[in-house]
Amino acid sequence: MVSLNIHTSHSRLLREYKTIAAMSRIYCRDHHAQPRGLCEECAGLLDYARRRLEVCPFQEHKPACNFCQVHCYSRLMRERVKAVMRYAGPRMLLRHPLLSLWHLLDKRRPVPSLGKR
């Protein structure tokens, strides 16, 4: 398990990382015939997601990415993550029901504002 480089214990961010990691494993196993672990492409995408979580300006108050006013993923990476989520999301309910439930609840979180800089 990769640990996030987060200044305090942000269980919300760790849970989000676990969710994207589980989705990546499902996607990679079914699309890239990886019996264990991730292929290089999927491992790179997961590492990118981890780095984006580490620098999220909202940290523990982070909304679901699709509702966020700050788009910290590049356009290409955003499309790749969408493909992974579209495929793995429905399969998460059976394989990781608690992560799925938390992910659905996180979508209902209020979207914080960055305020003035």
Side-chain angles (χ1 to χ4, degrees):
M1 175 58 146
V2 174
S3 66
L4 292 173
N5 183 21
I6 298 174
H7 303 295
T8 60
S9 64
H10 290 313
S11 60
R12 163 84 176 87
L13 294 179
L14 185 56
R15 187 175 67 242
E16 181 144 334
Y17 176 77
K18 287 179 181 179
T19 302
I20 189 66
M23 288 180 160
S24 296
R25 286 190 304 271
I26 291 169
Y27 181 87
C28 192
R29 183 194 64 227
D30 293 354
H31 285 81
H32 303 140
Q34 294 292 315
R36 290 199 115 111
L38 298 174
C39 70
E40 190 174 315
E41 179 183 340
C42 291
L45 181 63
L46 182 58
D47 184 57
Y48 181 83
R50 178 191 52 80
R51 286 183 280 130
R52 299 288 75 203
L53 282 171
E54 287 174 349
V55 297
C56 176
F58 298 111
Q59 292 296 298
E60 191 67 16
H61 304 290
K62 179 189 175 315
C65 290
N66 56 331
F67 297 120
C68 190
Q69 67 184 21
V70 177
H71 296 292
C72 56
Y73 280 46
S74 70
R75 186 176 310 253
L76 174 65
M77 294 303 228
R78 193 166 41 240
E79 291 305 315
R80 288 176 60 193
V81 167
K82 281 182 187 179
V84 168
M85 289 185 162
R86 253 191 311 270
Y87 179 81
R91 290 156 180 84
M92 286 286 290
L93 284 171
L94 292 175
R95 293 186 178 114
H96 302 281
L98 290 178
L99 285 176
S100 297
L101 176 63
W102 278 110
H103 186 67
L104 290 173
L105 291 174
D106 287 338
K107 284 180 155 183
R108 299 181 56 86
R109 295 170 76 87
V111 178
S113 173
L114 274 180
K116 294 182 181 180
R117 290 192 167 222

